Amino acid sequence: MSLAMGAIGGLVLFLYGVHELSQALKAVAGERMKRLIGQATGDRFRGLGAGTVATVLLDSSSLTIILLITFVDAGLATFVQALPVVLGANIGTTFSSQVFAVGIDAYAPVLMLAGFLLRMTMKKHHAKDWGSAIFGIGLVLFGLHTIGEAAEPLKDQPAVTDWLKTMATPVYGIIAGAAITVAIQSSSAMLGIIITLAGQGIIPLEAGIAMMLGAEIGTCADTLVATIGRSRDALRVGLFHLFFNIITVLIGAVLVEQIVAFATWTSDDVAQQIANAHVAFNVGGALLFLGFVRIVGRLIERAVPERMEAVPAE
């Protein structure tokens, strides 16, 4: 009961912190990111960079892609011009996994206090928004720290550790990672939980990487929902995001042994290994697709044609 209450409390704090951070960063940088994305959609490399920067600053690949969908829906960018930004968003989301792996959660109360004081003492809305962002970061890290402490006794439970080891089978790990990501609606949150539990020795490296691959598919749910009722081009952006993640995850499942070997080579710490694997996988997938965005775009346009106009009866 103590373990369950600690894990639930930590998860609630963590998810609330993710929500607060997302809302605060949207208020602080949302308009700037809209301008950045709008100016970068004409060139694939600028689009890739804009998607990366926007996702780092907004701390959400889903939010970046949803902003992009609204741009395409409004006719401010074409479907094909938007695709490099989607690839950049996948790179940008790896920044948070590196932050989680560094292990600065012990200082979370300092960030929470600083953010709280800014919110309470500053009169300007911009300063208050920054206070909310700092408070959100602290709350996210504190929630992860609470989850890690609550889950620590699990590593002495053979039944739990044996079950988690089955997640090392790519199919099981991918399904579990995708399902949990859809449930909590954030791939960054999912990676944070995976990295935290791996750092506690509860999740082995192979299982963590398999679940990381699943999180890449699960994150597509939000962007697909955002395309409902929008133009065909907006729908194509959401489908490209799903198609890109499914193809790269399938490649990752085939090359999972090589990804594990690379992760092991980069660090001796399991949490850092998973974060490094996340960076390598997402950057590699984005660069692989970057040269083929026009070809893939044409295929999706054929698969999702424009709606046929009704012919009026004479």
Side-chain angles (χ1 to χ4, degrees), residues 93-102 191 194-195 198 205 208-209 212 262-263 266-267 269-282:
T93 195
T94 63
F95 177 77
S96 57
S97 62
Q98 289 293 324
V99 173
F100 295 143
V102 169
L191 262 294
I194 292 170
I195 288 169
L205 173 62
I209 288 177
M212 175 268 288
F262 169 80
T266 61
S267 176
D269 178 65
V270 178
Q272 189 64 58
Q273 288 170 354
I274 294 174
N276 293 345
H278 189 215
V279 173
F281 173 76
N282 281 24

Side-chain angles (χ1 to χ4, degrees), residues 18-32:
V18 169
H19 174 76
E20 282 288 297
L21 178 59
S22 176
Q23 294 299 112
L25 290 176
K26 191 191 300 185
V28 169
E31 290 302 318
R32 294 176 186 173

Side-chain angles (χ1 to χ4, degrees), residues 63-202:
L63 182 55
T64 299
I65 296 172
I66 289 169
L67 284 174
L68 184 63
I69 287 170
T70 62
F71 263 73
V72 173
D73 189 52
L76 300 176
T78 67
F79 159 62
V80 174
Q81 287 175 336
L83 302 187
V85 182
V86 175
L87 300 180
N90 270 49
I91 295 176
T93 195
T94 63
F95 177 77
S96 57
S97 62
Q98 289 293 324
V99 173
F100 295 143
V102 169
I104 60 172
D105 52 306
Y107 303 100
V110 177
L111 292 173
M112 292 168 65
L113 177 61
F116 177 78
L117 290 175
L118 274 175
R119 287 173 61 171
M120 294 297 104
T121 59
M122 292 292 146
K123 293 182 179 180
K124 293 184 178 180
H125 287 293
H126 190 70
K128 285 181 176 290
D129 289 336
W130 273 113
S132 295
I134 295 170
F135 180 77
I137 293 171
L139 202 56
V140 165
L141 295 173
F142 186 71
L144 282 176
H145 183 77
T146 304
I147 292 171
E149 286 194 333
E152 189 172 4
L154 290 178
K155 63 185 177 184
D156 298 321
Q157 301 295 323
V160 175
T161 55
D162 289 344
W163 176 74
L164 286 171
K165 284 177 183 177
T166 64
M167 296 296 108
T169 303
V171 174
Y172 295 155
I174 289 170
I175 292 173
I180 298 171
T181 302
V182 170
I184 63 178
Q185 299 185 352
S186 172
S187 60
S188 295
M190 182 61 187
L191 262 294
I193 293 170
I194 292 170
I195 288 169
T196 298
L197 296 181
Q200 295 286 348
I202 297 168

Side-chain angles (χ1 to χ4, degrees), residues 18-48:
V18 169
H19 174 76
E20 282 288 297
L21 178 59
S22 176
Q23 294 299 112
L25 290 176
K26 191 191 300 185
V28 169
E31 290 302 318
R32 294 176 186 173
M33 292 307 101
K34 284 182 181 179
R35 289 196 296 272
L36 175 66
I37 292 170
Q39 293 167 359
T41 51
D43 177 85
R44 71 177 66 180
F45 292 103
R46 280 193 298 169
L48 185 76

Side-chain angles (χ1 to χ4, degrees), residues 69-70 72-73 79 227 230-239:
I69 287 170
T70 62
V72 173
D73 189 52
F79 159 62
T227 65
R230 296 187 182 272
S231 66
R232 304 299 270 183
D233 271 352
L235 173 60
R236 289 168 185 152
V237 173
L239 291 176

